[in-house]
Amino acid sequence: MDITYMTIFELSERIKYDQRTIREQLKDSVLFEGVHYIHPFGGRKILYLWERIEEEMLNGVSLNSLTVST
C-alpha cells in the first residue's frame, strides 16, 4: 500500500479545515501519532498519513483502526 505523506498545509487544503483547527482540535483527539501522523526521523516536523485519515473520515474511528498494523 502506498502512503501519501502530507504537511499540515496540504492536509488543510484537502479536507477544507483551517491549519489551526487541525493543530488545536483534531490532533491528539481524532488524529493520533503513529496512526494518522508521524514525526519523521524523530524531528519536530509532522507528516500526516492521508490514506489513514481518509479511512477514518469515511468509516469513523474504531478501536480496530487505532491498532498499528505491521
Side-chain angles (χ1 to χ4, degrees):
M1 173 175 156
D2 291 333
I3 298 174
T4 305
Y5 299 100
M6 307 180 104
T7 64
I8 195 166
F9 173 78
E10 293 166 325
L11 179 62
S12 169
E13 291 289 309
R14 188 165 291 190
I15 67 172
K16 309 302 186 221
Y17 275 78
D18 188 77
Q19 292 179 39
R20 186 154 83 178
T21 301
I22 295 169
R23 259 192 314 275
E24 295 177 1
Q25 295 180 10
L26 300 179
K27 187 175 159 281
D28 298 327
S29 65
V30 176
L31 303 176
F32 299 102
E33 184 173 2
V35 177
H36 303 105
Y37 69 91
I38 60 169
H39 292 275
F41 312 111
R44 292 184 60 203
K45 185 176 192 87
I46 295 174
L47 291 178
Y48 292 88
L49 311 173
W50 171 245
E51 288 76 14
R52 295 299 300 266
I53 293 170
E54 183 179 42
E55 181 181 326
E56 299 299 336
M57 289 190 323
L58 296 174
N59 302 321
V61 176
S62 70
L63 288 178
N64 289 338
S65 68
L66 295 179
T67 59
V68 179
S69 56
T70 55

